[in-house]
Amino acid sequence: MRAVPWIIKYRPRSVEDVVDQEKAKEVLVPWIKKWLSGTPPEKKAALLWGPPGVGKTSLVEAICNEYKLEKIEMNASDFRRKNDIERIALAAATKKPLPPWKGRLILLDEVDGLSPRGDEGAVAAILELIKKTKNPVVMTANDPWGQHLRPLREAALLVEFKRIPKTKARSFLLKICEEEGVHCEKEAIDYIIEKNKGDLRASINDLQAVAEAFGKVTLDLAKALLAERDRVLTPWEMLQQLFYAKYAWQARKAVTSTDLDYDTLFLWIAENVPKQYGDDPYDLWRGLEALSRASVIYGRIKRKMNWSLLPYYFNALGPGVALAKTKYHKRARWSYPERITLLAKTKEVRKIREELAAHLARLSHVSKSYAKGELIPLLSFIAQANPRYFARLALGLRLNDSMVKYLAKKNYAKVKSFIEELSVRPAEEGKKEAQEILEELKEEYQKKTKEKSNKGREAGEGLLKWLKKK
Amino acid sequence: MSAEELLWAEKYRPKSLDEIVDQEDIVRRLKKFVEEKNVPHMLFAGPPGTGKTTAALALAHDLYGERYRQYILELNASDERGIDVIRTKVKEFARSKTPPDVPFKLVILDEADNMTADAQQALRRLMEMYSATTRFILLANFPSKIIEPVQSRCVYFRFRPLPKEKVVERLEYICKKEGVECEREALEEIYNLSEGDMRRAVNILQAAAALGKVTKDAVYKAIGYVHPSKVKEILDLALNGDFTKASKLLREVMIEYGLSGLDVLKMFQKELMGGSFELPEELKVLLADYAGEVQFRLAEGADDEIQLQAFLAKLALLGPRFRGASR
């Protein structure tokens, strides 16, 4: 059972407890002391920045604990809500907290989560807060280098946090193992640390996961459990991390941390590169060029079943696309890949077109692609230009109803009625012809009977004359 | 007037060798084969619409009579999924009934130059294996793309583009038969637009005739049935820097017509290098180079749309610079 998460259980109580980050401590602790001494420092805010899980928030908490400061926390993205701003602003402006607190600290987490578009108001509000505050304001960020965060960077003391060195992380994890009484292999610990690349928080979480699942931490068990345990990003998160990745590894991580299949992942990025980089022709071309190369690699993988090329695919797709930009781009309105919806929507039509192409190819002794590129457009043109003539072609080419519909489009009803008319015509024509023949026969008969009766009369008259003579 | 109509290109396809109006040398030699009732493996090479398929079918007709269809197997290399499918079909066909007085049947393999070298090697073995009962007629646009060992097993026939008079004459003949009024200069224009491709010429004629009288005007309208007008629009948008619209139209064309990336790229290439856009030579060179790269990538099995989008992005990048400069 998971009683307490170890990251909370083993969170540092004092500044000294915080693993590594000596440089950051050297800057931040004197800054806080200055606040406590009654003369606020020149910069009333500090911006702690660095990769996730290396102790930014932990150090702030440790400071609060050690110096008895009341921590007033807020996620920066909440700055859009008016009453939250007022709550924080009031706390910042009021100097005296209630005992046992000796002071206050305002913590604004994840200021890089503010979007360049739509959150300008939040940045302004934070600046205002910094200006008026009577208490230290501490901000944290993974990537503070966005153009829109510049005012915050300028108003704050910048404190950099580095990845936790392996040796420090190792001894800390071993200490936890010892206290928990869990058997841990050194190799397993190293594997966990390696995997999390200096993110101590993630390492502790991984350690706990293995320990609680198996009761001990060996290399094999760690590998078995953790290989699959990487956080799965939603497509939107993936795009955010990809397009705003500063380092190649971040971009790579973004594209390898979704559960999208390779084709769908590609479509997501292909859909949004033109949107994200669309405001600059050069970056747009570079982005698409990277995608294009990624797709060539993927084509080779699929054709030759050569999956060892997969890392190169991810490199082109992640870092290739992310680092294609030569300048900062505002977050665009990203969207679900239109191609997927379109393919689903046009599935029926595509099926008909394939059938039609195969049918025409057979009739005309040509390839299907010729039928698609030449004959279908030709028939489609005729259907628009001359529906009556097209109806005759439809009959002659034995096109079925859905093919006719596909080609005739808005003229479908017209064409259909022509087809019906043409199909019944032979019968009507035949009837008419038969009647004409009948008429002719009648005339002939009448003429003949007339002739015959004339002849008979003549013969009769002749006979009469002859008898009279007698 | 019959209620039923056919595509003219089929309706007026010569049935027997006697009816073929051009390619006299080839016809003479083929007739000789018919007389002797002996046909070697053959390779018919030449541009589209010069009568390769017609000659192959007419030969079969003259050899086997009216019911020749049952003694031929028509395959299109670009439609069959791989050499295995072709092998199976040929095997089955070889086992089927032989004609009464000719000791072999015919396999007509169109677009043979679209086969990979490996597939052609397999084809060569097929030709040997079944040569007792089947003869192959390979049709190709580019004979150089047929591998040596296959070429050397075939008697080679080179089909040349039809001369203008022959095409116009034939179009006139069709108009007369169909009772369609036509202007001579309209027919000449059809020849110019179809570049010696007879089938294409007849297709354009039929489209124009669907509008009524075949005038030059009708021909220009009819030529719009194929995509160049839309293709031109796409390119124009891109060259003016409007990638978004160009790309949207590209998707429409590809989805609406079900065209492959290669089909579209070839149309792009033709429009850009032809006279449609008055592009500076320097830009043409850059684009031709990039188009070549894109085609290579398509052949490597890359995603069609992204390749073309990259191409359009390049146009959108370079177009405004060059166009702006030339104005």
Side-chain angles (χ1 to χ4, degrees):
Chain A
M1 206 187 71
R2 194 166 188 144
V4 189
W6 289 356
I7 51 160
I8 293 181
K9 191 169 173 187
Y10 293 98
R11 98 170 20 137
R13 306 275 162 227
S14 66
V15 173
E16 203 200 330
D17 280 349
V18 174
V19 179
D20 199 49
Q21 309 299 6
E22 299 308 327
K23 279 236 171 84
K25 289 179 197 168
E26 276 172 34
V27 179
L28 199 59
V29 172
W31 181 76
I32 289 287
K33 280 187 175 157
K34 215 155 186 217
W35 275 102
L36 293 172
S37 72
T39 47
E42 195 187 328
K43 296 220 162 158
K44 299 204 278 181
L47 174 52
L48 317 189
W49 68 278
V54 295
K56 296 185 293 294
T57 312
S58 289
L59 181 56
V60 172
E61 281 171 355
I63 285 173
C64 289
N65 209 27
E66 200 169 326
Y67 297 96
K68 299 272 177 293
L69 301 177
E70 184 187 9
K71 188 182 73 184
I72 306 207
E73 191 177 353
M74 181 166 157
N75 195 300
S77 55
D78 293 340
F79 258 83
R80 267 166 289 195
R81 285 198 293 272
K82 198 161 177 276
N83 49 353
D84 279 320
I85 297 173
E86 280 164 6
R87 175 175 71 85
I88 290 282
L90 187 72
T94 319
K95 207 171 172 196
K96 284 270 175 221
L98 299 168
W101 305 116
K102 287 188 180 154
R104 274 187 174 141
L105 185 146
I106 316 294
L107 175 61
L108 304 177
D109 238 346
E110 297 174 29
V111 287
D112 50 350
L114 292 171
S115 111
R117 240 194 302 186
D119 279 343
E120 302 94 328
V123 173
I126 294 175
L127 282 175
E128 187 65 19
L129 174 75
I130 292 172
K131 216 166 112 189
K132 293 198 175 144
T133 189
K134 289 182 180 150
N135 294 302
V137 175
V138 179
M139 300 176 280
T140 71
N142 293 141
D143 173 13
W145 302 112
Q147 189 64 37
H148 61 298
L149 298 179
R150 199 169 138 191
L152 298 184
R153 288 201 298 274
E154 283 170 357
L157 174 74
L158 286 181
V159 185
E160 186 187 0
F161 280 66
K162 296 241 164 69
R163 277 162 225 289
I164 309 286
K166 270 183 220 163
T167 46
K168 299 250 169 104
R170 188 190 293 135
S171 52
F172 191 70
L173 292 193
L174 283 171
K175 198 181 88 194
I176 293 178
C177 289
E178 209 182 304
E179 295 213 355
E180 292 294 329
V182 178
H183 170 72
C184 292
E185 282 181 12
K186 281 212 168 56
E187 295 85 342
I189 301 278
D190 283 348
Y191 170 75
I192 290 172
I193 291 167
E194 194 70 40
K195 180 174 160 289
N196 289 303
K197 300 191 175 65
D199 180 342
L200 188 62
R201 178 174 48 204
S203 297
I204 297 171
N205 276 334
D206 281 349
L207 182 72
Q208 185 176 17
V210 180
E212 282 179 354
F214 303 110
K216 58 182 178 180
V217 182
T218 69
L219 182 60
D220 289 346
L221 294 176
K223 274 188 177 166
L225 186 71
L226 300 177
E228 303 294 326
R229 245 185 102 259
D230 264 346
R231 197 168 108 65
V232 173
L233 298 178
T234 68
W236 309 102
E237 290 170 328
M238 180 271 292
L239 291 174
Q240 172 74 37
Q241 297 194 9
L242 173 67
F243 287 134
Y244 292 99
K246 204 181 153 211
Y247 306 104
W249 66 267
Q250 289 170 326
R252 210 191 130 83
K253 187 141 189 264
V255 295
T256 49
S257 304
T258 69
D259 54 5
L260 301 171
D261 63 68
Y262 304 134
D263 293 280
T264 316
L265 172 68
F266 183 84
L267 290 179
W268 269 94
I269 300 173
E271 176 75 29
N272 291 300
V273 161
K275 297 195 162 85
Q276 181 69 15
Y277 294 162
D279 55 349
D280 182 88
Y282 184 60
D283 285 7
L284 173 65
W285 173 65
R286 281 173 47 109
L288 287 170
E289 178 66 18
L291 268 177
S292 153
R293 282 193 304 266
S295 136
V296 168
I297 296 167
Y298 189 54
R300 285 183 193 147
I301 292 173
K302 275 211 291 199
R303 246 166 10 117
K304 305 236 159 104
M305 284 292 146
N306 187 351
W307 291 96
S308 65
L309 294 174
L310 202 57
Y312 301 100
Y313 174 60
F314 284 125
N315 278 342
L317 204 54
V321 168
L323 306 179
K325 59 176 180 287
T326 55
K327 58 172 226 190
Y328 179 80
H329 294 268
K330 282 193 233 162
R331 188 187 153 134
R333 204 179 285 267
W334 300 327
S335 62
Y336 183 86
E338 194 193 4
R339 246 206 275 175
I340 296 177
T341 6
L342 266 179
L343 286 179
K345 240 191 270 172
T346 56
K347 193 173 165 206
E348 194 55 32
V349 172
R350 278 183 295 132
K351 202 182 124 225
I352 293 166
R353 189 175 54 216
E354 286 301 317
E355 279 170 15
L356 181 58
H359 179 68
L360 293 173
R362 209 163 39 241
L363 284 179
S364 290
H365 311 277
V366 295
S367 70
K368 274 196 277 186
S369 85
Y370 183 87
K372 277 188 209 164
E374 176 84 12
L375 301 181
I376 290 180
L378 170 66
L379 286 170
S380 183
F381 173 83
I382 293 175
Q384 305 313 312
N386 191 340
R388 194 184 179 81
Y389 184 57
F390 174 73
R392 292 178 52 209
L393 275 163
L395 285 170
L397 297 172
R398 308 275 184 269
L399 303 183
N400 68 28
D401 191 53
S402 49
M403 294 173 179
V404 170
K405 198 169 180 176
Y406 170 75
L407 289 166
K409 297 190 180 78
K410 64 179 192 322
N411 274 352
Y412 173 61
K414 257 190 236 168
V415 170
K416 195 139 166 69
S417 72
F418 284 136
I419 288 178
E420 271 158 27
E421 194 183 304
L422 287 166
S423 326
V424 296
R425 218 166 96 174
E428 275 179 1
E429 269 178 3
K431 203 169 146 194
K432 210 169 134 196
E433 216 163 273
Q435 248 162 2
E436 276 170 11
I437 292 171
L438 204 67
E439 292 294 317
E440 268 173 40
L441 283 174
K442 264 188 198 162
E443 263 173 46
E444 193 105 321
Y445 176 75
Q446 278 171 352
K447 225 165 91 187
K448 280 205 173 140
T449 46
K450 220 175 182 178
E451 269 172 25
K452 263 187 193 167
S453 65
N454 284 346
K455 267 188 189 164
R457 200 164 58 221
E458 273 167 28
E461 275 168 5
L463 194 64
L464 215 61
K465 260 184 200 166
W466 183 73
L467 282 172
K468 274 180 183 169
K469 268 185 193 170
K470 284 265 166 150
Chain B
M1 189 177 74
S2 153
E4 296 185 357
E5 174 66 310
L6 296 171
L7 286 173
W8 290 353
E10 264 332 282
K11 195 172 173 183
Y12 293 98
R13 191 198 280 281
K15 298 271 173 307
S16 79
L17 291 170
D18 285 325
E19 290 174 43
I20 297 180
V21 283
D22 197 49
Q23 314 285 11
E24 288 89 356
D25 289 349
I26 295 173
V27 169
R28 200 176 321 117
R29 285 165 71 195
L30 293 181
K31 277 185 179 168
K32 197 121 200 228
F33 293 144
V34 173
E35 263 169 48
E36 291 165 1
K37 292 202 187 305
N38 190 13
V39 173
H41 293 315
M42 292 185 284
L43 171 59
F44 290 0
T50 49
K52 300 182 296 294
T53 309
T54 301
L57 294 173
L59 174 80
H61 171 272
D62 292 0
L63 208 51
Y64 305 122
E66 285 302 326
R67 305 183 63 191
Y68 68 94
R69 285 291 174 106
Q70 54 184 314
Y71 302 122
I72 62 171
L73 172 66
E74 280 186 85
L75 294 170
N76 194 301
S78 61
D79 286 348
E80 308 300 336
R81 280 152 303 163
I83 187 70
D84 287 336
V85 180
I86 293 181
R87 186 184 289 126
T88 318
K89 286 193 175 171
V90 169
K91 212 158 124 187
E92 262 171 40
F93 175 67
R95 264 195 252 132
S96 69
K97 202 173 71 177
T98 32
D101 50 353
V102 185
F104 55 84
K105 291 164 287 184
L106 287 177
V107 175
I108 301 172
L109 179 57
D110 203 350
E111 304 197 17
D113 48 346
N114 277 350
M115 295 170 87
T116 61
D118 286 350
Q120 289 189 36
Q121 284 293 353
L123 175 69
R124 181 191 63 118
R125 282 193 292 278
L126 276 182
M127 290 168 75
E128 274 163 14
M129 217 184 297
Y130 298 106
S131 66
T133 52
T134 56
R135 296 296 139 79
F136 281 72
I137 305 180
L138 310 182
L139 313 185
N141 291 143
F142 304 104
S144 55
K145 286 207 267 175
I146 303 289
I147 58 170
E148 270 298 310
V150 170
Q151 279 202 37
S152 79
R153 279 169 178 77
C154 293
V155 177
Y156 177 64
F157 292 88
R158 174 148 193 80
F159 285 68
R160 291 179 196 291
L162 301 181
K164 189 171 177 177
E165 319 83 70
K166 296 273 182 187
V167 174
V168 172
E169 215 171 83
R170 188 70 180 169
L171 297 180
E172 244 168 358
Y173 168 80
I174 294 174
C175 287
K176 217 171 105 198
K177 279 272 179 185
E178 290 289 331
V180 172
E181 259 189 274
C182 63
E183 287 171 358
R184 171 127 191 138
E185 56 171 6
L187 301 185
E188 283 174 5
E189 193 55 31
I190 291 179
Y191 169 81
N192 293 338
L193 292 167
S194 58
E195 293 161 352
D197 179 342
M198 188 65 167
R199 186 163 51 198
R200 188 93 213 283
V202 177
N203 285 343
I204 298 173
L205 180 71
Q206 191 170 17
L211 294 167
K213 195 177 163 192
V214 179
T215 60
K216 244 180 149 174
D217 237 27
V219 170
Y220 289 133
K221 267 189 207 138
I223 193 75
Y225 78 78
V226 268
H227 333 294
S229 59
K230 273 199 181 170
V231 166
K232 246 188 97 174
E233 201 183 331
I234 294 172
L235 293 172
D236 203 44
L237 285 165
L239 283 167
N240 283 330
D242 193 342
F243 170 84
T244 313
K245 274 205 191 123
S247 165
K248 200 167 163 234
L249 195 57
L250 168 72
R251 179 173 281 178
E252 263 174 45
V253 167
M254 287 182 73
I255 289 200
E256 186 174 343
Y257 298 108
L259 293 175
S260 73
L262 197 58
D263 294 337
V264 177
L265 183 69
K266 280 181 179 163
M267 290 179 196
F268 279 179
Q269 170 87 336
K270 210 167 153 188
E271 289 293 316
L272 288 170
M273 295 302 126
S276 312
F277 299 95
E278 283 171 14
L279 299 178
E281 295 303 305
E282 197 188 341
L283 179 58
K284 279 192 186 179
V285 173
L286 286 174
L287 293 179
D289 182 50
Y290 196 54
E293 176 62 28
V294 169
Q295 180 160 347
F296 172 73
R297 290 179 191 175
L298 285 172
E300 285 282 291
D303 181 82
D304 282 11
E305 195 178 346
I306 213 68
Q307 303 309 321
L308 295 176
Q309 278 188 332
F311 188 71
L312 291 181
K314 186 92 168 180
L315 289 183
L317 178 64
L318 298 177
R321 285 187 207 166
F322 280 89
R323 277 193 149 182
S326 69
R327 268 175 200 160

